[in-house]
Every structure is written in structure tokens, then in C-alpha cells.
Amino acid sequence: MAKTALVVGASGIVGSATAALLVERGWTVHGLARRPVAQAGVLPLAADLQDEAGTAAALAGLHPDAVFITTWLRQDSEAENIRVNSAMVRNLLDGLPRPVGPRHVALVTGLKHYLGPFEAYGQGSLPETPFREEQGRLDVENFYYAQEDEVFAAAARDGFTWSVHRPHTVIGKAIGNAMNMGTTLAVYATLCRETGRPFSFPGSAAQWSGLTDMTAAGQLARHLLWAAETVAAHDAAFNVVNGDVFRWQWMWSRIAAWFGIEADPFDGTPRPLEEQMAEDAALWREIAGREDLAEPELARLASPWHTDADLGRPIEVVTDMSKSRRLGFTGYQPTDDAFLALFERLRADRLIP
């Protein structure tokens, strides 16, 4: 019989990729979101995880074999991030009927586990790179830790297995997503081509010349499914990246070439996208109207603040995946291919011209 999955945050970058993979593999998939969008083969489920009673009502009678938690809500402070996002995980796991058989719960967090929350991002005493899972938690409040603790407590109570997945920056398609570097760079490149402005790297010299890695949404989806189906991967935390490394001084030219523009030489001066794109909403609406694009609102496509945070880090960030490899995960995705495939999809879906 087909297994049943609940994908939480099914309209987001990671959730939509995970739901699509599960459907492809023959699972019955329920996709939970505050405002579900149509997805082939996915049964929509509307719920606001901040509403404890409403969440329980929406989940009544649902007995998934696996639950994939791929969502969070950005708040104005880390204290609020902790309060809101831990409550969302708690309401979800409390609202699900108790397991009647084996169940696995997978939580997606990220490298802020090692780098710290946005309020202290990449600051203070950090673990050595490449980041490894055994390096553990920083001595700082972090909503990722609070989410994990909710999963651990519910697992101890209900007897399900769990896994935690820590991707680097995720490349994939979603509209209205809070952290979306790939689409942000596509929109930025389009604006530079339209206006003749230089396609300037927004970040730090450390990111420009240092080694880094990223995580394609499809690679993360495969990792989530692998952990759910692999007994040896249960009750463990894992880093997950594409498997290659690169320097932005090389990738920036690759991205520029796809859009038919020149990469501006980097002189070591950060030029944050949040400043560069601050007045571009009206221009994007003009481009969208002229080109008959599907989304005229710049803020629903681009997240400059997040791209600035990642590309502005003052340290080299690379991730070790030996733990997954030793247990048999062999997925690999060249990062430049992931970017270019995303750009093709954005064009096909009329999100960029």
C-alpha cells in the first residue's frame, strides 16, 4: 500500500520540491499551508500553525507515515522567532493524532545552527569549517534549537523517529518565500539588463573569493526521503548540500552569462541588494506588464535582505556531508546547473522575461 506523507509548508521552496518527489515515488501526499496552492497529485490542507485548535481540527483523522516540516515565519527579533516558530512545531505535533504505527518526522533547519541567528549572524566564536554535525549548538538563543527541542519532546512522548536536516542556502522556485536567493538573483540580473546598471556582487570579499556550497531543493527533497526510509538515519541530524564547492567570483560570471550581461568586476566593496533594489518595485511592475509576467510584485519574488545576509558573511562557509555519505546517501547536484535550471523554469513559468 502507498505510504502517506504530510508536507508542512508545501507551497514553499523545499515543501513543493518534497511534495513533488513524494508524488513521483507513489506516496499519498497531503500538503499543508496557510493558503494552499494547486500542486499535481497533492491533497491540499489549509491550516495556520499558530492556531492550536484550528491546526488540530485540520489534522483530525490524519495518520501520516512521515511528516516533513519545511516552514517557518520570520519575526522582528530572535525572541519572537523562538516563540512563534517553536509554537508552530508544537501545535503541529500536538495536533496530529497519536501514531498508530511507525512514523517519521523530518525537520528542515539550516546552517544558522552553526552560524547563529540573524541578530548575531556569522559573529562571535564560531565552529571551524567545514561544519560538522558533532559541533553542536552555539551558546546563544536560536529558533532552530527551539524547533528541534519541540520535535525531541514530541518524539519522546509519541514514540516516532526523527531527523533534522541542515541545508546551506536553498536554490528552488517559490512565490512569496522569505529566503529565495536564486529568484532574487534572477530578478536582479533582469533589472540590470533592463537598466544597464552594473551586475555588482553585493557581498563580502570573504564570500567572493572563499569556497562555499549550496543546496538545490531537489537534492534536499531526496535527502529528506532517504532519511525517512533509512533506519540507520533515524534519530539523527544531518548537513545536506549539493556535493560540489565553488567560489562566487566564478559563479557570478556564470549567472551573468545566462542573462546576457557582463559581471561587474568586484573591488571588495559590499553593495547590498536591499539598497540597490530599494526603488525597483515600480520598474518591475512595468516590466511585468510589458512582458506579461505572472507576478508583478517585486516583494513576492525577491528577498534581498536574505541574499545580502548570506553573501555578506565575513567568513568562508563550507559544509561536510560525510555523515550522510557513510550511511549511503549518494545524491549529487552541480550548483551551477541548479541555478541555470531554476532560471529556465522561472522563464517558462513567466516569472522572468
Side-chain angles (χ1 to χ4, degrees):
M1 295 180 63
K3 290 185 175 182
T4 299
L6 173 63
V7 178
V8 183
S11 60
I13 293 177
V14 178
S16 59
T18 302
L21 177 64
L22 291 164
V23 169
E24 179 186 312
R25 299 289 178 87
W27 288 58
T28 298
V29 181
H30 299 267
L32 186 149
R34 281 177 296 168
R35 292 177 294 275
V37 298
Q39 295 172 263
V42 177
L43 303 171
L45 189 61
D48 181 349
L49 294 181
Q50 297 182 83
D51 179 353
E52 180 180 3
T55 297
L59 298 174
L62 188 63
H63 290 278
D65 299 288
V67 180
F68 302 92
I69 305 173
T70 71
T71 189
W72 72 291
L73 281 178
R74 184 189 180 200
Q75 305 299 311
D76 291 335
S77 69
E78 193 60 20
E80 278 298 287
N81 276 330
I82 290 168
R83 184 186 67 82
V84 170
N85 289 284
S86 62
M88 289 168 58
V89 174
R90 182 168 61 253
N91 291 342
L92 169 73
L93 297 177
D94 286 355
L96 276 169
R98 299 297 179 261
V100 296
R103 177 179 293 169
H104 185 78
V105 174
L107 171 68
V108 177
T109 62
L111 295 195
K112 286 189 290 298
H113 183 94
Y114 308 106
L115 288 163
F118 287 120
E119 291 178 1
Y121 197 45
Q123 302 173 17
S125 178
L126 299 174
E128 292 183 355
T129 57
F131 294 139
R132 293 181 171 86
E133 295 88 346
E134 64 267 22
Q135 289 169 321
R137 296 180 175 185
L138 300 175
D139 185 19
V140 62
E141 294 297 311
N142 189 321
F143 83 87
Y144 282 170
Y145 306 161
Q147 287 181 308
E148 287 183 344
D149 288 342
E150 294 294 344
V151 171
F152 300 157
R157 179 192 67 206
D158 295 340
F160 58 75
T161 60
W162 56 267
S163 56
V164 175
H165 304 257
R166 299 170 185 160
H168 201 160
T169 306
V170 177
I171 305 169
K173 180 202 165 188
I175 306 301
N177 194 270
M179 300 191 299
N180 194 340
M181 180 188 286
T183 304
T184 298
L185 293 181
V187 169
Y188 173 56
T190 300
L191 290 166
C192 289
R193 185 177 61 197
E194 173 79 12
T195 61
R197 295 185 335 217
F199 184 59
S200 301
F201 183 70
S204 67
Q207 290 300 305
W208 177 254
S209 59
L211 290 173
T212 193
D213 48 30
M214 293 185 71
T215 309
Q219 172 82 336
L220 178 50
R222 292 187 290 273
H223 195 261
L224 287 163
L225 180 55
W226 164 80
E229 295 184 327
T230 303
V231 172
H234 291 173
D235 300 337
F238 298 96
N239 299 328
V240 49
V241 288
N242 288 335
D244 64 344
V245 293
F246 65 92
R247 303 181 199 276
W248 276 106
Q249 62 190 20
W250 173 79
M251 186 69 75
W252 203 247
S253 296
R254 293 277 287 154
I255 292 172
W258 194 91
F259 286 91
I261 57 179
E262 293 291 327
D264 192 41
F266 181 62
D267 63 4
T269 304
R271 294 177 173 84
L273 292 183
E274 201 160 22
E275 296 176 7
Q276 291 195 55
M277 300 172 69
E279 306 299 326
D280 285 336
L283 175 57
W284 187 260
R285 281 192 292 271
E286 178 185 324
I287 295 170
R290 185 188 72 216
E291 303 290 341
D292 191 29
L293 300 183
E295 181 50 71
E297 295 304 317
L298 181 65
R300 286 183 50 76
L301 290 174
S303 52
W305 71 272
H306 172 255
T307 299
D308 288 341
D310 273 11
L311 297 184
R313 292 178 300 211
I315 58 171
E316 180 179 87
V317 178
V318 287
T319 311
D320 183 81
M321 272 193 70
S322 297
K323 186 174 181 180
S324 294
R325 302 299 189 205
R326 289 187 178 107
L327 293 177
F329 181 76
T330 58
Y332 174 79
Q333 169 66 64
T335 299
D336 56 334
D337 288 355
F339 269 122
L340 303 189
L342 171 64
F343 301 154
E344 294 283 1
R345 185 179 178 190
L346 294 176
R347 180 169 285 173
D349 292 344
R350 296 179 21 255
L351 290 170
I352 60 172

